[in-house]
Amino acid sequence: MDIRHLTYFIEVSRFESFTRAADYLFVTQPTISKMIKNLEEELGVELFDRSRKKLVLTDAGRAIYDKAETIVKASENLKTELDDLIGLQRGHIRIGLPPILDAENVIRILGEFHDIHPHITFELIENGTKRIEEDILKEDLDVGIAVLPTEEEEFHTFSFIQEELGVVVPLSHPLAHRKRIDLHELECENFISFNKDFALHERIHDACKQAGFLPKKVSETSQWDFIGKMITAGLGIAILPYSVANLLKEDVRFIKMRNPVLEWNVALIWRKNHYLSYATREWLRFTQERLIENTSD
């Protein structure tokens, strides 16, 4: 038995046809039929019920199918790892970024990395923390930037931003002169917030609930610049990290919070106990070093 036997078996099972599987694999139908017959003889079982119009897996076939997929996938991973040993001559890294983040620093580090490894390409995908976590678990992303806390049993994390959240109001707001605001004082305010894909949405909702009220949400968005425009239009107030509020071009006031003090903790995240390409591992090492240097400056 070799990997080809298992690959042919998987494709015949998927297409429920020797002919269609042969076309997909660019081999002749007699070749694939012979391979499956050899596999059945070696294992001493029938893998398919051939008495129907479509091929159907037997009980033994179903039992072997899952194991065959695992073996073929392991073989593919081994080839990928061996290719990586060539030495960063190629690679592609998929990175999830939250739109709420001022990505200038991250983009600069990407540029520095690209200067050293010009053959490695990047795909940057904007989404909220929850979606980024889901996409990493589904293997649609290799690494992401997310707001902590995250699922500790699922992800490695490297925190690089820690700052307080504050209330952002228009200059004409009655609270605009205050230096600090207790959360319960916002009970009667209309809230403008990020949508449910963002960890900040749930963080603020839970904090308000603990303060004895549910926030009255007049609008939700995925774009931080829309929030500034809606605040100055008099639609409501927002709770934002200082770095995000500082990006707003509109004339607004950022007021620190107390009772409670809410914090924003941003980190690189990647999946535990999961293969990372050599390119991704090198980018993580490089990026962490640069972020540490920036913090110490």
Side-chain angles (χ1 to χ4, degrees):
M1 182 196 309
D2 62 25
I3 294 298
R4 280 191 308 156
H5 283 89
L6 298 179
T7 300
Y8 288 4
F9 166 62
I10 289 170
E11 296 307 329
V12 172
S13 303
R14 188 161 68 92
F15 286 105
E16 299 178 332
S17 164
F18 286 109
T19 302
R20 291 175 62 196
D23 290 341
Y24 177 77
L25 294 165
F26 298 101
V27 298
T28 64
Q29 192 270 339
T31 296
I32 203 167
S33 296
K34 182 178 179 181
M35 293 285 270
I36 297 300
K37 189 64 177 176
N38 289 343
L39 182 60
E40 288 179 321
E41 289 176 354
E42 183 174 349
L43 296 173
V45 295
E46 289 188 0
L47 300 173
F48 296 99
D49 179 354
R50 296 170 172 80
S51 65
R52 309 183 190 185
K53 289 184 179 180
K54 288 186 177 181
L55 291 174
V56 177
L57 286 170
T58 62
D59 290 345
R62 285 194 295 272
I64 292 168
Y65 182 84
D66 290 340
K67 298 295 183 184
E69 280 199 314
T70 301
I71 293 170
V72 170
K73 184 65 176 178
S75 175
E76 292 171 351
N77 286 343
L78 176 60
K79 185 179 185 303
T80 300
E81 292 189 38
L82 292 175
D83 287 343
D84 286 339
L85 295 178
I86 295 172
L88 294 175
Q89 292 304 306
R90 58 180 177 269
H92 185 70
I93 308 173
R94 301 162 301 170
I95 305 170
L97 295 173
I100 191 173
L101 180 73
D102 179 7
E104 182 178 348
N105 195 29
V106 176
I107 299 300
R108 180 181 56 77
I109 293 172
L110 281 175
E112 293 174 0
F113 185 86
H114 182 68
D115 287 342
I116 300 171
H117 305 292
H119 300 293
I120 294 176
T121 57
F122 297 92
E123 184 176 359
L124 304 179
I125 301 171
E126 282 194 329
N127 258 316
T129 288
K130 291 183 180 180
R131 181 66 180 275
I132 288 171
E133 290 177 356
E134 291 171 2
D135 286 348
I136 291 175
L137 292 176
K138 290 190 300 183
E139 300 183 23
D140 292 333
L141 290 174
D142 302 303
V143 65
I145 294 176
V147 178
L148 299 180
T150 190
E151 298 293 336
E152 293 184 1
E153 66 273 14
E154 295 285 359
F155 298 104
H156 292 292
T157 64
F158 176 81
S159 175
F160 63 95
I161 295 178
Q162 291 180 312
E163 60 185 33
E164 291 185 13
L165 303 181
V167 183
V168 182
V169 301
L171 296 180
S172 59
H173 196 281
L175 296 173
H177 68 284
R178 298 277 297 275
K179 292 184 177 181
R180 286 193 177 271
I181 295 177
D182 291 340
L183 184 56
H184 71 82
E185 295 180 76
L186 304 178
E187 181 174 358
C188 297
E189 299 289 337
N190 292 323
F191 279 71
I192 302 164
S193 70
F194 287 97
N195 64 38
K196 293 180 181 179
D197 286 337
F198 292 78
L200 197 57
H201 178 283
E202 187 174 344
R203 177 80 55 80
I204 294 169
H205 180 89
D206 291 346
C208 290
K209 188 175 180 180
Q210 290 178 7
F213 70 97
L214 294 178
K216 294 188 297 182
K217 296 170 187 172
V218 68
S219 180
E220 294 181 359
T221 180
S222 63
Q223 302 297 322
W224 57 262
D225 52 340
F226 288 177
I227 292 179
K229 290 178 172 60
M230 286 188 280
I231 291 173
T232 54
L235 291 175
I237 59 97
I239 296 177
L240 297 174
Y242 175 77
S243 60
V244 176
N246 202 40
L247 294 173
L248 301 179
K249 298 177 181 179
E250 293 75 17
D251 289 330
V252 294
R253 177 79 190 282
F254 179 86
I255 307 168
K256 293 184 178 182
M257 296 182 61
R258 63 187 177 192
N259 300 324
V261 173
L262 299 180
E263 293 187 342
W264 194 53
N265 193 346
V266 181
L268 292 170
I269 67 169
W270 62 99
R271 193 173 176 183
K272 287 183 177 180
N273 304 317
H274 188 74
Y275 175 74
L276 289 177
S277 71
Y278 193 82
T280 301
R281 280 180 278 155
E282 178 61 17
W283 180 80
L284 279 169
R285 184 200 63 77
F286 181 90
T287 301
Q288 289 178 69
E289 284 186 357
R290 291 299 185 274
L291 290 171
I292 290 171
E293 288 173 3
N294 293 341
T295 303
S296 60
D297 287 346

Short mmCIF file of all heavy atoms in Angstrom, two decimals, residues 173-221:
data_model
loop_
_atom_site.label_atom_id
_atom_site.label_comp_id
_atom_site.label_asym_id
_atom_site.label_seq_id
_atom_site.Cartn_x
_atom_site.Cartn_y
_atom_site.Cartn_z
N HIS A 173 -21.25 68.31 24.06
CA HIS A 173 -21.94 67.41 25.00
C HIS A 173 -21.81 67.94 26.43
O HIS A 173 -20.76 68.47 26.81
CB HIS A 173 -21.33 66.01 24.91
CG HIS A 173 -22.18 64.94 25.52
ND1 HIS A 173 -22.23 64.73 26.89
CD2 HIS A 173 -23.02 64.03 24.97
CE1 HIS A 173 -23.05 63.72 27.13
NE2 HIS A 173 -23.54 63.27 25.98
N PRO A 174 -22.85 67.78 27.24
CA PRO A 174 -22.80 68.25 28.64
C PRO A 174 -21.66 67.65 29.46
O PRO A 174 -21.22 68.25 30.45
CB PRO A 174 -24.17 67.84 29.20
CG PRO A 174 -25.06 67.75 28.02
CD PRO A 174 -24.19 67.28 26.89
N LEU A 175 -21.17 66.45 29.07
CA LEU A 175 -20.10 65.81 29.82
C LEU A 175 -18.70 66.18 29.30
O LEU A 175 -17.70 65.72 29.85
CB LEU A 175 -20.27 64.29 29.76
CG LEU A 175 -21.52 63.69 30.42
CD1 LEU A 175 -21.61 62.20 30.13
CD2 LEU A 175 -21.50 63.94 31.92
N ALA A 176 -18.64 66.99 28.26
CA ALA A 176 -17.37 67.24 27.59
C ALA A 176 -16.34 67.92 28.48
O ALA A 176 -15.13 67.81 28.25
CB ALA A 176 -17.60 68.08 26.34
N HIS A 177 -16.78 68.59 29.52
CA HIS A 177 -15.83 69.29 30.40
C HIS A 177 -15.24 68.38 31.47
O HIS A 177 -14.30 68.76 32.16
CB HIS A 177 -16.55 70.46 31.11
CG HIS A 177 -17.59 70.00 32.09
ND1 HIS A 177 -18.83 69.52 31.70
CD2 HIS A 177 -17.55 69.91 33.45
CE1 HIS A 177 -19.51 69.18 32.78
NE2 HIS A 177 -18.77 69.40 33.85
N ARG A 178 -15.76 67.17 31.61
CA ARG A 178 -15.33 66.26 32.69
C ARG A 178 -13.95 65.65 32.38
O ARG A 178 -13.59 65.40 31.24
CB ARG A 178 -16.37 65.15 32.85
CG ARG A 178 -17.76 65.65 33.27
CD ARG A 178 -17.82 65.84 34.77
NE ARG A 178 -17.63 64.58 35.44
CZ ARG A 178 -18.64 63.71 35.68
NH1 ARG A 178 -19.88 64.00 35.29
NH2 ARG A 178 -18.40 62.59 36.32
N LYS A 179 -13.21 65.36 33.44
CA LYS A 179 -11.93 64.68 33.30
C LYS A 179 -12.08 63.17 33.40
O LYS A 179 -11.33 62.41 32.78
CB LYS A 179 -10.94 65.17 34.37
CG LYS A 179 -10.51 66.62 34.17
CD LYS A 179 -9.45 67.00 35.20
CE LYS A 179 -8.97 68.43 34.95
NZ LYS A 179 -7.93 68.84 35.93
N ARG A 180 -13.05 62.71 34.20
CA ARG A 180 -13.33 61.27 34.34
C ARG A 180 -14.84 61.07 34.46
O ARG A 180 -15.55 61.95 34.97
CB ARG A 180 -12.63 60.67 35.55
CG ARG A 180 -11.13 60.49 35.36
CD ARG A 180 -10.52 59.62 36.44
NE ARG A 180 -9.10 59.39 36.22
CZ ARG A 180 -8.61 58.39 35.49
NH1 ARG A 180 -9.43 57.52 34.94
NH2 ARG A 180 -7.31 58.24 35.34
N ILE A 181 -15.29 59.90 34.02
CA ILE A 181 -16.71 59.59 34.05
C ILE A 181 -16.90 58.18 34.59
O ILE A 181 -16.18 57.25 34.19
CB ILE A 181 -17.34 59.68 32.64
CG1 ILE A 181 -17.29 61.12 32.12
CG2 ILE A 181 -18.78 59.19 32.64
CD1 ILE A 181 -17.82 61.27 30.71
N ASP A 182 -17.85 58.01 35.50
CA ASP A 182 -18.26 56.68 35.94
C ASP A 182 -19.17 56.08 34.89
O ASP A 182 -20.01 56.79 34.29
CB ASP A 182 -18.99 56.75 37.28
CG ASP A 182 -18.07 57.15 38.43
OD1 ASP A 182 -16.85 57.01 38.26
OD2 ASP A 182 -18.58 57.59 39.47
N LEU A 183 -19.05 54.79 34.67
CA LEU A 183 -19.81 54.15 33.60
C LEU A 183 -21.32 54.31 33.80
O LEU A 183 -22.06 54.52 32.83
CB LEU A 183 -19.43 52.66 33.52
CG LEU A 183 -20.08 51.87 32.39
CD1 LEU A 183 -19.79 52.50 31.02
CD2 LEU A 183 -19.58 50.41 32.40
N HIS A 184 -21.80 54.24 35.04
CA HIS A 184 -23.25 54.30 35.27
C HIS A 184 -23.84 55.64 34.84
O HIS A 184 -25.05 55.76 34.62
CB HIS A 184 -23.58 54.00 36.74
CG HIS A 184 -23.17 55.09 37.69
ND1 HIS A 184 -23.94 56.21 37.92
CD2 HIS A 184 -22.05 55.22 38.46
CE1 HIS A 184 -23.33 56.99 38.80
NE2 HIS A 184 -22.19 56.42 39.14
N GLU A 185 -22.99 56.68 34.71
CA GLU A 185 -23.47 57.99 34.29
C GLU A 185 -23.89 58.01 32.82
O GLU A 185 -24.51 58.97 32.36
CB GLU A 185 -22.39 59.05 34.52
CG GLU A 185 -22.03 59.28 35.97
CD GLU A 185 -20.96 60.34 36.12
OE1 GLU A 185 -21.32 61.53 35.97
OE2 GLU A 185 -19.78 59.99 36.35
N LEU A 186 -23.58 56.94 32.10
CA LEU A 186 -23.90 56.88 30.67
C LEU A 186 -25.19 56.13 30.39
O LEU A 186 -25.52 55.85 29.24
CB LEU A 186 -22.74 56.22 29.91
CG LEU A 186 -21.36 56.86 30.07
CD1 LEU A 186 -20.32 56.05 29.30
CD2 LEU A 186 -21.37 58.31 29.61
N GLU A 187 -25.93 55.80 31.44
CA GLU A 187 -27.12 54.97 31.30
C GLU A 187 -28.13 55.55 30.31
O GLU A 187 -28.79 54.82 29.56
CB GLU A 187 -27.79 54.78 32.67
CG GLU A 187 -29.03 53.90 32.62
CD GLU A 187 -29.59 53.61 34.00
OE1 GLU A 187 -28.99 54.08 35.00
OE2 GLU A 187 -30.62 52.92 34.08
N CYS A 188 -28.28 56.87 30.27
CA CYS A 188 -29.29 57.49 29.42
C CYS A 188 -28.74 57.90 28.05
O CYS A 188 -29.46 58.49 27.23
CB CYS A 188 -29.88 58.72 30.11
SG CYS A 188 -30.77 58.32 31.63
N GLU A 189 -27.47 57.59 27.78
CA GLU A 189 -26.86 58.00 26.52
C GLU A 189 -27.16 56.98 25.41
O GLU A 189 -27.40 55.81 25.66
CB GLU A 189 -25.34 58.11 26.68
CG GLU A 189 -24.89 59.13 27.70
CD GLU A 189 -25.13 60.56 27.22
OE1 GLU A 189 -25.22 60.77 25.99
OE2 GLU A 189 -25.21 61.45 28.08
N ASN A 190 -27.14 57.47 24.16
CA ASN A 190 -27.19 56.61 22.99
C ASN A 190 -25.77 56.19 22.63
O ASN A 190 -24.87 57.04 22.55
CB ASN A 190 -27.83 57.33 21.81
CG ASN A 190 -29.30 57.60 22.02
OD1 ASN A 190 -30.01 56.78 22.61
ND2 ASN A 190 -29.77 58.74 21.56
N PHE A 191 -25.58 54.87 22.42
CA PHE A 191 -24.24 54.35 22.17
C PHE A 191 -24.05 54.07 20.67
O PHE A 191 -24.92 53.53 20.00
CB PHE A 191 -24.02 53.04 22.94
CG PHE A 191 -23.65 53.23 24.38
CD1 PHE A 191 -24.59 53.68 25.30
CD2 PHE A 191 -22.37 52.97 24.82
CE1 PHE A 191 -24.26 53.85 26.63
CE2 PHE A 191 -22.02 53.14 26.15
CZ PHE A 191 -22.97 53.58 27.06
N ILE A 192 -22.89 54.44 20.19
CA ILE A 192 -22.42 54.05 18.86
C ILE A 192 -21.28 53.06 19.09
O ILE A 192 -20.32 53.38 19.82
CB ILE A 192 -21.92 55.27 18.06
CG1 ILE A 192 -23.03 56.30 17.92
CG2 ILE A 192 -21.41 54.84 16.69
CD1 ILE A 192 -22.53 57.67 17.50
N SER A 193 -21.37 51.89 18.51
CA SER A 193 -20.37 50.86 18.85
C SER A 193 -19.96 50.07 17.63
O SER A 193 -20.58 50.14 16.56
CB SER A 193 -20.94 49.91 19.91
OG SER A 193 -21.97 49.10 19.36
N PHE A 194 -18.89 49.31 17.80
CA PHE A 194 -18.51 48.34 16.79
C PHE A 194 -19.49 47.18 16.82
O PHE A 194 -20.14 46.92 17.84
CB PHE A 194 -17.08 47.84 17.04
CG PHE A 194 -16.04 48.87 16.71
CD1 PHE A 194 -15.49 49.66 17.71
CD2 PHE A 194 -15.62 49.06 15.41
CE1 PHE A 194 -14.54 50.63 17.42
CE2 PHE A 194 -14.67 50.03 15.10
CZ PHE A 194 -14.13 50.80 16.11
N ASN A 195 -19.61 46.47 15.70
CA ASN A 195 -20.60 45.40 15.63
C ASN A 195 -20.15 44.14 16.39
O ASN A 195 -19.07 44.12 16.99
CB ASN A 195 -20.95 45.07 14.18
CG ASN A 195 -19.76 44.53 13.39
OD1 ASN A 195 -18.95 43.77 13.90
ND2 ASN A 195 -19.66 44.92 12.13
N LYS A 196 -20.96 43.11 16.35
CA LYS A 196 -20.77 41.93 17.19
C LYS A 196 -19.56 41.08 16.80
O LYS A 196 -19.20 40.16 17.53
CB LYS A 196 -22.03 41.08 17.19
CG LYS A 196 -23.21 41.78 17.87
CD LYS A 196 -24.46 40.91 17.86
CE LYS A 196 -25.62 41.63 18.53
NZ LYS A 196 -26.87 40.82 18.51
N ASP A 197 -18.95 41.36 15.65
CA ASP A 197 -17.74 40.64 15.28
C ASP A 197 -16.52 41.10 16.09
O ASP A 197 -15.47 40.49 16.05
CB ASP A 197 -17.43 40.82 13.79
CG ASP A 197 -18.36 40.03 12.89
OD1 ASP A 197 -18.92 39.03 13.38
OD2 ASP A 197 -18.52 40.40 11.72
N PHE A 198 -16.69 42.20 16.82
CA PHE A 198 -15.58 42.80 17.57
C PHE A 198 -15.69 42.47 19.05
O PHE A 198 -16.77 42.59 19.65
CB PHE A 198 -15.58 44.32 17.38
CG PHE A 198 -15.24 44.76 15.99
CD1 PHE A 198 -16.19 44.68 14.98
CD2 PHE A 198 -13.98 45.22 15.68
CE1 PHE A 198 -15.89 45.07 13.69
CE2 PHE A 198 -13.66 45.61 14.38
CZ PHE A 198 -14.63 45.53 13.39
N ALA A 199 -14.56 42.07 19.64
CA ALA A 199 -14.55 41.75 21.07
C ALA A 199 -14.94 42.95 21.91
O ALA A 199 -15.51 42.81 23.00
CB ALA A 199 -13.16 41.25 21.48
N LEU A 200 -14.64 44.15 21.41
CA LEU A 200 -14.96 45.37 22.15
C LEU A 200 -16.48 45.53 22.34
O LEU A 200 -16.92 46.08 23.34
CB LEU A 200 -14.40 46.58 21.39
CG LEU A 200 -14.27 47.90 22.17
CD1 LEU A 200 -13.41 47.71 23.40
CD2 LEU A 200 -13.68 48.97 21.26
N HIS A 201 -17.24 45.05 21.40
CA HIS A 201 -18.71 45.11 21.50
C HIS A 201 -19.19 44.39 22.75
O HIS A 201 -19.95 44.93 23.57
CB HIS A 201 -19.32 44.48 20.24
CG HIS A 201 -20.82 44.43 20.23
ND1 HIS A 201 -21.55 43.51 20.95
CD2 HIS A 201 -21.73 45.20 19.59
CE1 HIS A 201 -22.84 43.70 20.74
NE2 HIS A 201 -22.97 44.73 19.92
N GLU A 202 -18.74 43.15 22.92
CA GLU A 202 -19.16 42.35 24.07
C GLU A 202 -18.57 42.90 25.37
O GLU A 202 -19.24 42.89 26.41
CB GLU A 202 -18.71 40.90 23.86
CG GLU A 202 -19.23 39.94 24.91
CD GLU A 202 -18.89 38.50 24.59
OE1 GLU A 202 -18.54 38.21 23.42
OE2 GLU A 202 -18.98 37.66 25.50
N ARG A 203 -17.33 43.40 25.32
CA ARG A 203 -16.69 43.94 26.52
C ARG A 203 -17.49 45.11 27.09
O ARG A 203 -17.75 45.19 28.30
CB ARG A 203 -15.28 44.41 26.14
CG ARG A 203 -14.49 45.05 27.28
CD ARG A 203 -13.89 44.01 28.20
NE ARG A 203 -13.08 43.09 27.47
CZ ARG A 203 -11.82 43.32 27.07
NH1 ARG A 203 -11.24 44.46 27.36
NH2 ARG A 203 -11.14 42.40 26.42
N ILE A 204 -17.91 46.02 26.21
CA ILE A 204 -18.66 47.19 26.66
C ILE A 204 -20.06 46.80 27.13
O ILE A 204 -20.55 47.29 28.15
CB ILE A 204 -18.73 48.24 25.53
CG1 ILE A 204 -17.32 48.78 25.26
CG2 ILE A 204 -19.69 49.37 25.88
CD1 ILE A 204 -17.21 49.61 24.01
N HIS A 205 -20.69 45.89 26.40
CA HIS A 205 -22.03 45.43 26.78
C HIS A 205 -22.00 44.81 28.18
O HIS A 205 -22.86 45.12 29.03
CB HIS A 205 -22.55 44.42 25.77
CG HIS A 205 -23.91 43.89 26.07
ND1 HIS A 205 -25.06 44.49 25.63
CD2 HIS A 205 -24.32 42.81 26.81
CE1 HIS A 205 -26.11 43.82 26.08
NE2 HIS A 205 -25.69 42.79 26.79
N ASP A 206 -21.02 43.95 28.43
CA ASP A 206 -20.93 43.27 29.74
C ASP A 206 -20.62 44.27 30.86
O ASP A 206 -21.16 44.16 31.97
CB ASP A 206 -19.85 42.19 29.70
CG ASP A 206 -20.24 41.01 28.82
OD1 ASP A 206 -21.43 40.91 28.46
OD2 ASP A 206 -19.36 40.19 28.49
N ALA A 207 -19.77 45.25 30.57
CA ALA A 207 -19.42 46.25 31.59
C ALA A 207 -20.64 47.10 31.96
O ALA A 207 -20.88 47.38 33.14
CB ALA A 207 -18.30 47.14 31.08
N CYS A 208 -21.42 47.48 30.96
CA CYS A 208 -22.64 48.26 31.23
C CYS A 208 -23.64 47.44 32.04
O CYS A 208 -24.27 47.94 32.97
CB CYS A 208 -23.27 48.71 29.91
SG CYS A 208 -22.34 49.97 29.02
N LYS A 209 -23.75 46.17 31.70
CA LYS A 209 -24.67 45.30 32.43
C LYS A 209 -24.28 45.20 33.90
O LYS A 209 -25.13 45.25 34.80
CB LYS A 209 -24.69 43.92 31.77
CG LYS A 209 -25.74 42.98 32.31
CD LYS A 209 -25.77 41.67 31.52
CE LYS A 209 -26.82 40.72 32.07
NZ LYS A 209 -26.84 39.44 31.29
N GLN A 210 -22.98 45.08 34.15
CA GLN A 210 -22.50 45.01 35.53
C GLN A 210 -22.71 46.34 36.26
O GLN A 210 -22.87 46.37 37.47
CB GLN A 210 -21.02 44.64 35.54
CG GLN A 210 -20.74 43.20 35.12
CD GLN A 210 -19.27 42.87 35.10
OE1 GLN A 210 -18.43 43.67 35.52
NE2 GLN A 210 -18.93 41.68 34.63
N ALA A 211 -22.76 47.43 35.48
CA ALA A 211 -22.99 48.76 36.08
C ALA A 211 -24.48 49.01 36.31
O ALA A 211 -24.85 50.06 36.83
CB ALA A 211 -22.41 49.84 35.19
N GLY A 212 -25.33 48.08 35.90
CA GLY A 212 -26.76 48.18 36.20
C GLY A 212 -27.66 48.63 35.07
O GLY A 212 -28.83 48.93 35.29
N PHE A 213 -27.13 48.63 33.85
CA PHE A 213 -27.98 49.02 32.72
C PHE A 213 -27.47 48.36 31.44
O PHE A 213 -26.35 47.87 31.37
CB PHE A 213 -27.98 50.55 32.54
CG PHE A 213 -26.69 51.12 32.04
CD1 PHE A 213 -26.49 51.40 30.70
CD2 PHE A 213 -25.63 51.40 32.92
CE1 PHE A 213 -25.30 51.93 30.23
CE2 PHE A 213 -24.43 51.93 32.47
CZ PHE A 213 -24.26 52.20 31.11
N LEU A 214 -28.34 48.32 30.44
CA LEU A 214 -27.96 47.84 29.12
C LEU A 214 -27.80 49.04 28.20
O LEU A 214 -28.66 49.94 28.18
CB LEU A 214 -29.02 46.89 28.56
CG LEU A 214 -29.18 45.56 29.32
CD1 LEU A 214 -30.30 44.72 28.69
CD2 LEU A 214 -27.88 44.76 29.32
N PRO A 215 -26.73 49.10 27.42
CA PRO A 215 -26.50 50.28 26.57
C PRO A 215 -27.56 50.40 25.47
O PRO A 215 -27.93 49.42 24.85
CB PRO A 215 -25.11 50.01 25.98
CG PRO A 215 -24.93 48.53 26.05
CD PRO A 215 -25.66 48.09 27.28
N LYS A 216 -28.03 51.62 25.27
CA LYS A 216 -28.98 51.89 24.19
C LYS A 216 -28.19 52.15 22.91
O LYS A 216 -27.61 53.21 22.73
CB LYS A 216 -29.86 53.09 24.54
CG LYS A 216 -30.77 52.87 25.72
CD LYS A 216 -31.76 54.02 25.90
CE LYS A 216 -31.02 55.32 26.21
NZ LYS A 216 -31.98 56.45 26.44
N LYS A 217 -28.16 51.17 22.02
CA LYS A 217 -27.32 51.26 20.83
C LYS A 217 -28.10 51.88 19.68
O LYS A 217 -29.08 51.32 19.21
CB LYS A 217 -26.81 49.87 20.45
CG LYS A 217 -25.90 49.26 21.51
CD LYS A 217 -25.61 47.82 21.25
CE LYS A 217 -24.83 47.20 22.41
NZ LYS A 217 -24.68 45.74 22.28
N VAL A 218 -27.64 53.03 19.24
CA VAL A 218 -28.29 53.71 18.14
C VAL A 218 -27.70 53.29 16.80
O VAL A 218 -28.35 53.37 15.75
CB VAL A 218 -28.20 55.24 18.31
CG1 VAL A 218 -26.77 55.73 18.16
CG2 VAL A 218 -29.11 55.97 17.33
N SER A 219 -26.44 52.77 16.84
CA SER A 219 -25.80 52.35 15.60
C SER A 219 -24.64 51.42 15.90
O SER A 219 -23.96 51.56 16.92
CB SER A 219 -25.30 53.56 14.81
OG SER A 219 -24.68 53.16 13.61
N GLU A 220 -24.40 50.47 15.00
CA GLU A 220 -23.24 49.58 15.06
C GLU A 220 -22.55 49.60 13.71
O GLU A 220 -23.20 49.67 12.67
CB GLU A 220 -23.66 48.15 15.41
CG GLU A 220 -24.25 48.00 16.80
CD GLU A 220 -24.63 46.55 17.11
OE1 GLU A 220 -24.45 45.69 16.22
OE2 GLU A 220 -25.10 46.30 18.23
N THR A 221 -21.22 49.53 13.71
CA THR A 221 -20.46 49.61 12.48
C THR A 221 -19.17 48.80 12.60
O THR A 221 -18.80 48.40 13.71
CB THR A 221 -20.11 51.09 12.14
OG1 THR A 221 -19.36 51.13 10.92
CG2 THR A 221 -19.29 51.72 13.25
#
